């Protein structure tokens, strides 16, 4: 039997001897129950080049091979749109999302989304895949978005995200001068009254923690780095308002648009373990044009007001 070329492989170690392959995949590599059930369909599991059942037991030195790359029918219409690719391999794609683009199509934005752009990119490469973003960022937040290219990669990255093993950093500009050099905003978040979009600080909301560090203080503006310990919707935007320093341009959360017409927030870094190799990955996204121009404006204002 000729095994397919696209395989995930693992060579069993001494501690794996006597264990079922299913147990090794489940407990050592965090394969989900759903993914293991999917692998039972057809001859997708081989040991030393021969078909095997997941319930068989392994021994040291066995080469366990898993076929992960089955053809999938795209769940989104592909479009020929610009796409700023930061990294891509057979498991994942990382892009620098522009300002004003929604991640996933919805009733209000059925086309011109990041999903349409990604699927169109894959179609031009002759690939048919589902669009599986690991996380989402707001329409007017720019920066890193990571997309899994198959069920295995999605499950592996989602597992890391759920357990806080993925580190995300944002950069933003807030109104006023933040006096503390660094700190933690630990304020619970819930829905604002009569709104399906806006959040607010509320004692009985979901716990949320944002770490911040001052990078530079301008005249009445502070440039901050944010690290999320939790991933609530609008977390940074809500915390900045509750902290008394709304993001520049964020009129939904108390910011003014004198210097910028959208909230000044950028997803700048995403660090995690590669879903297949388990080697550390760091994806960085440079600032878009509007934030680069904002930096120039702020420096000019400081020069005018020494």
């Amino acid at each position: 039997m000729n095994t397919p070329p696209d395989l995930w492989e693992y060579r069993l170690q001494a501690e794996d001897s006597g264990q079922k392959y299913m147990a090794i995949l489940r407990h050592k590599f965090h394969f989900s129950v759903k993914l293991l059930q999917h692998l039972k369909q057809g001859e997708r599991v081989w040991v030393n080049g021969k078909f095997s059942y997941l319930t068989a037991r392994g021994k040291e030195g066995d080469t366990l091979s898993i076929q992960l790359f089955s053809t999938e029918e795209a769940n989104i219409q592909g479009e020929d749109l610009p796409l700023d690719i930061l990294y891509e391999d057979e498991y994942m794609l990382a892009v620098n999302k522009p300002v004003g683009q929604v991640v996933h199509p919805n009733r209000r934005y059925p086309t011109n989304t990041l999903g349409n752009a990604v699927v169109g990119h894959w179609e031009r490469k002759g690939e048919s895949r589902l669009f599986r973003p690991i996380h989402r960022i707001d329409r007017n937040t720019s920066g890193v978005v990571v997309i899994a290219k198959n069920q295995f990669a999605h499950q592996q990255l989602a597992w890391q995200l759920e357990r806080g093993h993925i580190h995300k950093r944002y950069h933003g500009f807030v109104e006023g001068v933040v006096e503390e050099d660094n700190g933690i905003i630990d304020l619970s978040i819930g829905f604002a009254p009569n709104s399906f979009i806006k959040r607010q600080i509320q004692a009985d909301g979901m716990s949320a923690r944002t770490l911040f560090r001052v990078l530079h203080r301008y005249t009445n503006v502070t440039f901050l780095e944010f690290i999320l310990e939790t991933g609530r919707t609008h977390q940074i935007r809500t915390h900045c308002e509750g902290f008394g320093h709304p993001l520049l341009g964020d009129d939904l959360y108390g910011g003014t648009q004198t210097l910028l017409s959208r909230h000044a927030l950028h997803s700048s870094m995403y660090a995690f373990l590669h879903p297949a190799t388990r080697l550390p990955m760091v994806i960085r996204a440079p600032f878009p044009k509007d934030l680069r121009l904002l930096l120039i404006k702020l420096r000019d204002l400081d020069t005018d007001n020494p």
Side-chain angles (χ1 to χ4, degrees):
M1 180 185 69
N2 294 322
T3 56
D6 297 323
L7 298 175
W8 177 89
E9 292 190 333
Y10 169 66
R11 190 174 180 83
L12 270 64
Q13 306 301 305
E15 66 267 20
D16 303 317
S17 292
Q19 293 193 55
K20 294 180 180 180
Y21 297 118
M22 181 179 295
I24 295 171
L25 295 174
R26 182 81 178 97
H27 301 297
K28 195 166 189 175
F29 295 101
H30 317 299
F31 277 52
S32 66
V33 172
K34 183 177 180 180
L35 180 55
L36 290 172
Q37 291 173 341
H38 177 71
L39 294 177
K40 291 179 180 180
Q41 302 171 8
E43 296 186 353
R44 296 182 178 275
V45 181
W46 292 269
V47 175
N48 303 325
K50 297 180 180 180
F51 169 71
S52 176
Y53 291 102
L54 285 172
T55 51
R57 297 181 183 274
K59 63 180 184 298
E60 182 180 2
D62 281 348
T63 298
L64 175 62
S65 304
I66 306 291
Q67 182 189 2
L68 299 168
F69 304 96
S70 57
T71 300
E72 300 175 311
E73 184 176 351
N75 55 343
I76 292 174
Q77 180 68 41
E79 297 178 32
D80 188 2
L81 300 171
L83 194 64
D84 184 2
I85 297 175
L86 302 171
Y87 177 85
E88 184 174 19
D89 62 20
E90 64 268 37
Y91 291 91
M92 51 168 283
L93 169 70
V95 302
N96 188 4
K97 188 190 80 65
V99 177
Q101 187 177 56
V102 171
V103 171
H104 204 284
N106 56 42
R107 290 182 181 179
R108 187 176 179 185
Y109 300 98
T111 60
N112 297 310
T113 71
L114 181 64
N116 299 120
V118 167
V119 172
H121 163 69
W122 288 335
E123 288 175 347
R124 291 189 295 276
K125 294 176 63 178
E127 300 176 5
S128 180
R129 303 180 183 277
L130 297 179
F131 178 62
R132 294 184 173 100
I134 301 304
H135 65 123
R136 300 187 188 192
I137 57 179
D138 293 340
R139 179 172 66 90
N140 284 326
T141 300
S142 53
V144 180
V145 176
V146 175
I147 301 109
K149 294 182 67 172
N150 55 65
Q151 184 183 10
F152 166 75
H154 183 267
Q155 183 263 310
Q156 290 287 303
L157 291 170
W159 185 90
Q160 292 183 52
L161 185 64
E162 290 168 1
R163 286 156 181 80
H165 298 166
I166 291 180
H167 302 284
K168 296 177 285 184
R169 293 192 181 187
Y170 291 77
H171 287 101
F173 298 83
V174 301
E175 298 188 359
V177 177
V178 178
E179 296 182 358
E180 302 91 342
D181 290 336
N182 54 70
I184 300 175
I185 307 172
D186 190 352
L187 298 169
S188 298
I189 294 174
F191 278 102
N194 304 316
S195 177
F196 292 104
I197 300 175
K198 192 177 188 297
R199 269 61 172 177
Q200 68 176 15
I201 304 301
Q202 58 185 51
D204 60 348
M206 300 184 72
S207 62
R209 285 168 58 89
T210 303
L211 282 65
F212 71 87
R213 179 168 67 96
V214 171
L215 299 179
H216 193 85
R217 295 180 179 92
Y218 296 94
T219 302
N220 297 321
V221 172
T222 307
F223 181 26
L224 295 174
E225 178 183 73
F226 301 99
I227 299 176
L228 298 181
E229 287 196 351
T230 54
R232 309 304 179 200
T233 299
H234 292 189
Q235 178 171 318
I236 294 175
R237 300 172 67 186
T238 308
H239 271 174
C240 285
E241 181 186 42
F243 186 46
H245 295 280
L247 287 166
L248 287 182
D250 195 356
D251 56 352
L252 183 63
Y253 287 94
T256 59
Q257 298 191 335
T258 305
L259 294 173
L260 196 68
S261 60
R262 59 102 169 184
H263 57 259
L265 187 63
H266 180 71
S267 172
S268 54
M269 190 274 285
Y270 206 81
F272 54 97
L273 297 181
H274 189 279
T277 67
R278 308 186 92 184
L279 294 174
M281 297 281 297
V282 179
I283 306 294
R284 301 182 189 276
F287 270 13
K289 183 178 180 179
D290 65 342
L291 292 187
R292 295 197 304 270
L293 291 174
L294 175 62
L295 281 169
I296 295 172
K297 287 181 184 178
L298 293 172
R299 290 166 185 163
D300 289 345
L301 287 172
D302 272 5
T303 302
D304 294 338
N305 300 281

